[in-house]
Amino acid sequence: MFFIIFGCFWFGISSFSDKASDQEKQTLETAVNRGIAHCYAIEGAYPESLRYLKEHYGLIYDEDRFFIDYQILGSNIMPDVTIIDKEEGQ
């Protein structure tokens, strides 16, 4: 009986943790896209790099946990952004 209760408890915590992780990634994606749009609205050009967003628009995130692939497509085309959770595969 103890193992059944422990298993249910463990499953619940794991499920909650997965949902929280997905929400954190979604929040980061929203923050990056807002920063890009804000930069374009203020400066008339998209940020040339992720570093520029960090330095001028205050983007902060856990770099040990997330990898952001920021690809410039052109000066007047919104950059392609891919966010990868490094802990997702573990």
Side-chain angles (χ1 to χ4, degrees), residues 22-77:
D22 290 343
Q23 182 64 37
E24 190 174 353
K25 183 178 176 183
Q26 182 63 39
T27 301
L28 176 57
E29 187 174 324
T30 301
V32 171
N33 287 328
R34 282 186 182 168
I36 290 170
H38 189 222
C39 178
Y40 187 77
I42 299 293
E43 300 180 21
Y46 290 108
E48 70 247 9
S49 67
L50 188 62
R51 180 185 202 172
Y52 189 84
L53 273 178
K54 290 181 198 175
E55 292 173 358
H56 295 94
Y57 292 91
L59 178 66
I60 299 172
Y61 66 96
D62 185 355
E63 295 183 37
D64 292 331
R65 173 137 186 233
F66 294 102
F67 171 75
I68 300 178
D69 182 34
Y70 188 89
Q71 298 291 321
I72 302 295
L73 303 174
S75 62
N76 63 344
I77 300 172

